[in-house]
Amino acid sequence: MAIAIITGSAGLVGSESALFFAAQGFEIVGIDNDMRNYFFGQEASTIWSRQRLQQAIKNYEHYNTDIRDIDGLEKIFARYGQSVVLVLHTAAQPSHDWAAKEPLTDFTINANGTMNLLEMTRKYCPEAVFLFTSTNKVYGDTPNRLPLVEHAKRWEVSETHPFHAHGIDESMTIDHSLHSLFGVSKSAADLMVQEYGRYFQMKTMLFRGGCLTGSNHSGAELHGFLAYLVKCAVTEKKYTIFGYQGKQVRDNIHSNDLVNAFWQAFQAPRIAEVYNMGGGRYSNCSILEAIEICQQVVGKELNWSYTDINRSGDHIWWVSDCRKFAGHYPQWKQVYTLQMIIEELHQGLLDRL
C-alpha cells in the first residue's frame, strides 16, 4: 500500500489531509506531538483531533515525534522507505506573535524541522512528492506598500493597480521588508524546499497560504482568525481587534479546498514550484465584515474591543491570486464561500462543545 507521511497530522490541514488521502487508499503515517498545546494553551490542543483520526482511519499509524528530532524522524523514514510516495509537511510554529517569545523554538521548528524532513525524504524516498505549507508572511510587510484605499468597512487596493482584480501573485518580492521572526523562519523553509527541488531534482512544491480555516481548527487568539472569532462569539469570550480600524482584509480558504489542491499536485507533480494559495477574490473579508457574518450565524452580539497597536509585520490587505495554480491544474475548483466556512465553523464548535 502507498504511504503518505503527514506532519502536523492532528492539526487543521494535516487532519483534513489524513482523512482525504486515507479515502484515496493511502496508508497514513501521522507525525504530531501536540505543540499547539505548548504554543497556545490547552484550548488549542489537538489531542481530540488525533483521537478522531485514530478512530476514523483504519490504516493510520501515529508518531508523537518532534520534527526537530532528526534521529526520531530517521527511524520513521527508514521503516517505510520507498513505500512512501507523499510527504505532506504541515507541522509548524504558526504565529508571528508567538515567535517573538521564543525565537529559537520558532526557527528550529520551522526551518530546521523542514530541513530534516527534506533530507529524510532525499535519503529514504527521493521519488516521493514533497508538499509544503508555506505562508504569505514570506512577503513580509511588502503588501502594505501597495496603494491602499480606505472604505467604510475594509481596506482595498486601488482599482488602478494590477493586483486589484485577482489579488497578489507570486511576482511580489520577499526581500527588503519587515517579516516578523515567524516570517523569516518560514522563508528559510520555503527557500530550502525550492532548493531541494532544483538542486536534487526532487518533486517539491509549496503553497504560500493566506488564512487557512475549517471546522477541524483548534483556533486560538494568536492563530486561527475565523475559528477563534467564532469561538469567542459562541462562548461569549471577549475578542480583541489589533489595529487598522478592524478593516484589514484576509482571504480565507477552507482546508478541504486546499487539500484538493494537494491532491491535484500529487497526481501531476512539478519541481520546485511555488503557488500563492488562499480564498482569493472568491472568499475574503475584513475583520469588521467577518464579525457581522459571525454575529448573524451565531445569533449573538460579539463582545469585542479595539487597540490601535497592530501586530508587527501584519498585512493590511491580503488577497491571494490563485490563477497560477488553477492554470496548471484546471480540475481544481474552490467550493467554500466565506458564509459556508463560518457556518461550518459554528456547527463544528457546537458539536465539540
Side-chain angles (χ1 to χ4, degrees):
M1 181 178 288
I3 293 172
I5 292 180
I6 301 176
T7 70
S9 57
L12 168 67
V13 178
S15 62
E16 192 87 56
S17 299
L19 291 166
F20 180 92
F21 281 94
Q24 309 307 315
F26 290 73
E27 180 179 342
I28 306 299
V29 174
I31 300 175
D32 194 306
N33 62 338
D34 194 26
M35 282 294 287
R36 281 187 74 87
N37 190 356
Y38 178 74
F39 300 145
F40 311 125
Q42 184 60 41
E43 69 172 358
S45 172
T46 57
I47 289 178
W48 67 272
S49 179
R50 185 201 73 202
Q51 292 172 341
R52 184 175 66 104
L53 292 178
Q54 291 172 318
Q55 294 170 359
I57 301 175
K58 179 180 179 181
N59 295 308
Y60 180 83
E61 190 74 26
H62 190 88
Y63 291 86
N64 189 44
T65 302
D66 194 309
I67 62 173
R68 294 170 292 180
D69 177 5
I70 186 68
D71 294 333
L73 289 178
E74 183 139 30
K75 291 176 183 177
I76 297 170
F77 276 80
R79 176 180 178 182
Y80 297 103
Q82 295 191 33
S83 296
V84 178
V85 297
L86 171 64
V87 178
L88 179 51
H89 178 28
T90 76
Q93 189 299 109
S95 167
H96 57 176
D97 294 300
W98 194 93
K101 298 179 181 179
E102 294 188 28
L104 286 173
T105 303
D106 172 77
F107 194 86
T108 52
I109 290 173
N110 290 346
N112 296 42
T114 301
M115 177 72 177
N116 290 342
L117 289 159
L118 285 165
E119 186 59 14
M120 290 302 96
T121 301
R122 184 176 78 91
K123 184 175 181 179
Y124 290 102
C125 48
E127 295 304 313
V129 178
F130 190 102
L131 304 181
F132 173 55
T133 50
S134 185
T135 172
N136 60 18
K137 297 301 187 294
V138 301
Y139 296 110
D141 64 358
T142 298
N144 294 352
R145 298 198 288 270
L146 292 170
L148 298 175
V149 179
E150 185 176 2
H151 295 282
K153 296 180 182 178
R154 64 155 50 203
W155 292 91
E156 262 296 347
V157 71
S158 170
E159 293 183 3
T160 63
H161 196 276
F163 289 160
H164 177 78
H166 301 287
I168 298 170
D169 65 28
E170 297 82 0
S171 66
M172 178 171 277
T173 180
I174 69 170
D175 296 320
H176 309 297
S177 62
L178 178 68
H179 286 79
S180 80
L181 298 178
F182 161 74
V184 172
S185 66
K186 292 291 283 190
S187 294
D190 183 301
L191 291 171
M192 192 59 74
V193 171
Q194 294 183 58
E195 194 65 21
Y196 263 67
R198 293 190 181 93
Y199 198 88
F200 297 115
Q201 290 296 292
M202 290 170 60
K203 291 170 281 203
T204 64
M205 304 174 69
L206 55 96
F207 299 79
R208 292 174 175 167
C211 289
L212 314 179
T213 191
S215 59
N216 293 340
H217 210 176
S218 297
E221 183 176 26
L222 297 183
H223 184 252
F225 160 48
L226 280 183
Y228 183 69
L229 179 66
V230 173
K231 181 186 290 185
C232 286
V234 171
T235 62
E236 300 181 358
K237 183 176 181 179
K238 193 170 187 177
Y239 182 86
T240 302
I241 297 174
F242 293 94
Y244 304 127
Q245 296 84 50
K247 299 178 182 181
Q248 56 267 54
V249 170
R250 303 284 180 269
D251 67 351
N252 296 270
I253 185 168
H254 192 281
S255 53
N256 187 263
D257 284 339
L258 178 60
V259 172
N260 272 284
F262 294 160
W263 175 238
Q264 298 297 325
F266 170 77
Q267 293 178 96
R270 292 168 172 258
I271 291 175
E273 196 62 87
V274 178
Y275 297 107
N276 284 356
M277 180 58 61
R281 282 299 187 188
Y282 186 78
S283 173
N284 68 83
C285 62
S286 70
I287 293 181
L288 293 180
E289 291 167 344
I291 288 174
E292 285 189 352
I293 299 174
C294 182
Q295 290 178 153
Q296 175 262 317
V297 169
V298 176
K300 294 181 181 179
E301 290 292 314
L302 181 70
N303 178 19
W304 62 273
S305 62
Y306 175 79
T307 176
D308 284 325
I309 302 173
N310 60 277
R311 289 172 166 147
S312 180
D314 202 10
H315 294 154
I316 303 173
W317 184 88
W318 180 274
V319 173
S320 308
D321 184 347
C322 303
R323 288 180 300 163
K324 179 182 176 183
F325 184 83
H328 288 174
Y329 299 96
Q331 296 301 312
W332 177 75
K333 305 293 182 192
Q334 278 182 269
V335 174
Y336 284 81
T337 64
L338 188 67
Q339 181 78 26
M340 291 168 63
I341 289 170
I342 292 177
E343 288 175 355
E344 186 194 272
L345 285 168
H346 179 225
Q347 187 58 54
L349 183 60
L350 292 180
D351 292 344
R352 291 209 297 276
L353 292 175

